[in-house]
């Protein structure tokens, strides 16, 4: 589950991570009130207005702007709230901005130049350990840094039994070229960040930039936080941070009816019982020259009602050129599933794409017969290979 920047920062701060202060606002009037409050609390003269959407690269898309007066806060918030913000990480239509974060300006001049660093915390799946990835080249596109100057990106692996050790935090501060007060601040920042990562059961933190201010404080200016959904039961308070407006509406709908559905980019929809078979079916589709349009596990009860819901979900995707139903009848009998498919097909009415049904297991032959005699434009097969061939045929 992804958090908004303002939610991520609040969460980080609750674990002692220093952040750029901000207040979220839904309207320009609220933004002005937020700016006034920030001036009282922090003494800041300038403010930054930041679009809150679940996508990075907002600055490049015009979703992060500096305001040098309250009038500018009002004007900029008015422009940003309600806009469709397009960034390198959104679709071409962009994402509707419904709120902004008004923050203190932290790039003020002072005894030294501010510096922007990159820092993320994530799981290295190759070693099974958490790691902190960091770079002196923050603020900009980290993918470009990785491509052009990979030696400027450092990794620090953390032993899960020991946690982040003090020497590791010092090494990071050293590699970032810090000394004196900023060095100390960075070691504190890194330790608090790692504690937050572990305690919140997050799967990704990306802080870009981490800023060393001109008075040598170290703070998170941006925060991308992804919390492991499987651990949400341990954090009931985080559940309220979910913003359904930011999630794929079909996935939200599927979840509400208890189906596990993941939207993908391909052209062949699939409906399968069991996650393992669903994975194998996606491989099969690829082998047949298609690309899966979704992952969908209908679970143990593939009755008419569930099949119909599943068909309707898949049909919402305009890229779907064919649907492959792959059901293994173990406890659920294939003939019952076949009846469910026929009923659902008739109920929906206007299915204009080919459907390939592979039913194997208990009563598979009866099921095939039922489908073949239904008179519907449904191709039924029993063998896995036949299913692949059929997919290839209908895509050709
Ligand atoms: P992103 O574009 O979605 O990654 O959003 P960020 O939160 O990283 O902000 C984008 C950019 O805005 C940063 O890289 C900074 O250059 C700039 N920015 C953020 N906060 C401030 C601030 O307090 N003052 C100034 N002058 N610029 C800021
Ligand atoms: Mn950023």
């Amino acid at each position: 589950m992804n958090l908004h920047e303002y939610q991520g920062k609040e969460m980080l701060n609750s674990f002692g991570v220093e952040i750029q202060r901000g207040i979220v606002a839904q309207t320009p009037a609220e933004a002005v009130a937020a700016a006034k409050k920030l001036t009282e609390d922090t003494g800041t003269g300038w403010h930054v207005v930041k679009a809150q959407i679940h996508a990075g690269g907002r600055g490049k898309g015009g979703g992060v702007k500096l305001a040098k007066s309250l009038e500018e806060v009002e004007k900029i918030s008015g422009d940003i709230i309600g806009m469709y913000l397009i960034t390198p990480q959104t679709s071409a239509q962009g994402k509707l901005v419904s709120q902004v974060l008004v923050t203190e300006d932290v790039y003020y001049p002072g005894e030294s130049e501010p510096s922007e660093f990159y820092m993320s915390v994530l799981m290295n799946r190759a070693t099974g350990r958490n790691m902190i990835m960091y770079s002196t080249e923050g603020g900009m596109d980290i993918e470009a840094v990785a491509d052009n100057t990979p030696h400027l990106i450092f990794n620090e692996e953390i032993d899960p039994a020991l946690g982040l050790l003090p020497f590791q935090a010092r090494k990071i501060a050293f590699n970032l070229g810090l000394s004196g007060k900023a060095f100390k601040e960075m070691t504190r920042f890194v330790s608090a960040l790692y504690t937050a990562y572990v305690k919140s059961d997050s799967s990704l933190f990306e802080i870009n930039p981490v800023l060393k201010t001109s008075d040598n404080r170290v703070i998170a200016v941006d925060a991308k936080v992804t919390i492991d959904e499987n651990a949400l039961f341990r954090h009931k308070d985080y559940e309220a941070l979910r913003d359904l407006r930011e999630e794929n509406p079909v996935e939200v709908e599927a979840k509400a009816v208890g189906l596990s559905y993941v939207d993908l980019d391909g052209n062949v929809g699939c409906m399968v019982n069991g996650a393992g078979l669903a994975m194998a079916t996606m491989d099969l589709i690829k082998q047949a020259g298609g690309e899966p349009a979704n992952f969908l596990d209908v679970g143990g009860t593939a009755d008419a009602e569930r099949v119909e819901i599943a068909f309707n979900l898949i049909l919402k995707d305009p890229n779907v050129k064919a649907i492959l139903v792959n059901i293994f009848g173990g406890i659920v009998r294939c003939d019952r599933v076949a009846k469910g498919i026929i009923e659902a097909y008739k109920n929906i009415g206007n299915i204009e794409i080919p459907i390939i049904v592979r039913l194997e297991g208990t009563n598979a032959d009866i099921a095939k017969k039922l489908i073949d005699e239904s008179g519907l434009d449904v191709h039924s097969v029993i063998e896995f290979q036949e299913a692949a061939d059929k997919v290839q045929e209908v895509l050709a």
Side-chain angles (χ1 to χ4, degrees):
M1 178 178 87
N2 291 329
L3 301 190
H4 282 295
E5 175 195 0
Y6 79 93
Q7 298 167 328
K9 278 176 165 170
E10 267 168 34
M11 190 270 270
L12 292 177
N13 195 238
S14 74
F15 291 101
V17 179
E18 294 298 327
I19 56 165
Q20 174 195 41
R21 302 275 145 193
I23 299 171
V24 73
Q26 321 283 332
T27 62
E30 277 182 29
V32 170
K36 282 186 185 153
K37 177 88 173 65
L38 286 166
T39 301
E40 277 170 29
D41 293 351
T42 69
T44 188
W46 293 356
H47 299 88
V48 185
V49 181
K50 312 180 80 176
Q52 297 298 289
I53 55 166
H54 287 185
R58 295 162 302 164
K60 278 187 198 152
V64 177
K65 292 224 164 98
L66 181 67
K68 297 184 179 175
S69 66
L70 291 178
E71 290 71 40
E72 281 186 18
V73 168
E74 187 172 15
K75 165 85 177 61
I76 293 168
S77 325
D79 290 345
I80 293 181
I81 296 170
M83 84 185 282
Y84 279 84
L85 180 57
I86 301 167
T87 85
Q89 293 181 18
T90 65
S91 67
Q93 294 92 314
K95 272 194 152 173
L96 178 65
V97 183
S98 14
Q99 49 192 358
V100 290
L101 179 64
V102 181
T103 71
E104 59 174 329
D105 166 39
V106 286
Y107 286 60
Y108 45 81
E111 62 204 56
S112 65
E113 275 296 304
S115 339
E116 293 181 318
F117 305 121
Y118 172 90
M119 192 171 289
S120 57
V121 189
L122 66 161
M123 154 79 89
N124 179 347
R125 291 186 186 277
T127 60
R129 292 179 170 201
N130 290 330
M131 73 182 185
I132 298 178
M133 195 185 279
Y134 61 103
S135 175
T136 48
E137 309 305 293
M140 54 170 106
D141 200 353
I142 196 67
E143 285 78 14
V145 179
D147 286 343
N148 306 328
T149 48
H151 60 284
L152 296 179
I153 298 181
F154 301 91
N155 290 330
E156 189 64 33
E157 292 239 352
I158 294 133
D159 186 313
L162 301 177
L164 180 77
L165 294 170
F167 88 88
Q168 294 181 296
R170 288 198 296 272
K171 183 159 115 196
I172 292 171
F174 179 81
N175 282 337
L176 291 174
L178 299 173
S179 59
K181 180 183 171 214
F183 183 96
K184 243 181 146 163
E185 286 257 335
M186 182 57 84
T187 59
R188 270 222 296 269
F189 182 91
V190 172
S191 304
L193 193 68
Y194 189 71
T195 302
Y197 181 80
V198 173
K199 293 238 167 108
S200 63
D201 283 312
S202 286
S203 56
L204 175 72
F205 280 177
E206 190 177 44
I207 316 296
N208 189 21
V210 172
L211 188 77
K212 179 200 77 71
T213 62
S214 61
D215 49 355
N216 296 309
R217 296 186 302 132
V218 172
I219 60 176
V221 166
D222 193 3
K224 174 175 174 150
V225 170
T226 307
I227 294 174
D228 184 347
E229 301 227 6
N230 298 310
L232 273 181
F233 73 95
R234 287 205 282 234
H235 306 279
K236 292 285 177 238
D237 47 333
Y238 293 166
E239 211 133 9
L241 302 178
R242 168 163 257 140
D243 186 347
L244 290 179
R245 293 172 297 188
E246 296 288 334
E247 297 187 15
N248 181 308
V250 183
E251 288 179 12
V252 172
E253 200 183 324
K255 201 168 191 173
V257 294
L259 290 175
S260 105
Y261 174 97
V262 180
D263 191 35
L264 300 168
D265 292 332
N267 53 0
V268 181
C270 40
M271 185 191 311
V272 189
N273 65 339
L277 187 58
M279 304 289 268
T281 305
M282 288 160 67
D283 284 349
L284 177 87
I285 290 169
K286 271 198 157 243
Q287 265 174 21
E291 286 287 335
N294 64 276
F295 167 97
L296 173 57
D297 175 7
V298 290
T301 47
D303 55 21
E305 197 192 357
R306 260 174 111 73
V307 170
E308 188 174 332
I309 294 170
F311 268 139
N312 276 319
L313 289 171
I314 296 173
L315 289 167
K316 284 192 179 171
D317 181 345
N319 298 324
V320 171
K321 298 282 174 289
I323 298 177
L324 173 59
V325 181
N326 191 5
I327 303 280
F328 179 77
I331 294 169
V332 53
R333 285 174 9 221
C334 292
D335 55 323
R336 277 204 50 199
V337 177
K339 280 187 191 141
I341 292 169
I342 294 165
E343 206 178 308
Y345 193 99
K346 286 183 177 156
N347 283 347
I348 296 170
N350 55 347
I351 299 180
E352 280 156 8
I353 54 175
I355 296 183
I356 301 136
V357 179
R358 183 229 176 198
L359 290 167
E360 172 62 301
T362 314
N363 293 352
D365 42 352
I366 305 174
K368 184 167 184 343
K369 202 156 168 248
L370 279 171
I371 288 180
D372 288 344
E373 288 171 1
S374 69
L376 302 175
D377 183 18
V378 181
H379 312 266
S380 68
V381 295
I382 292 182
E383 295 296 322
F384 210 51
Q385 186 56 48
E386 278 178 88
D389 295 345
K390 259 293 175 249
V391 169
Q392 207 154 24
E393 191 185 310
V394 300
L395 286 179

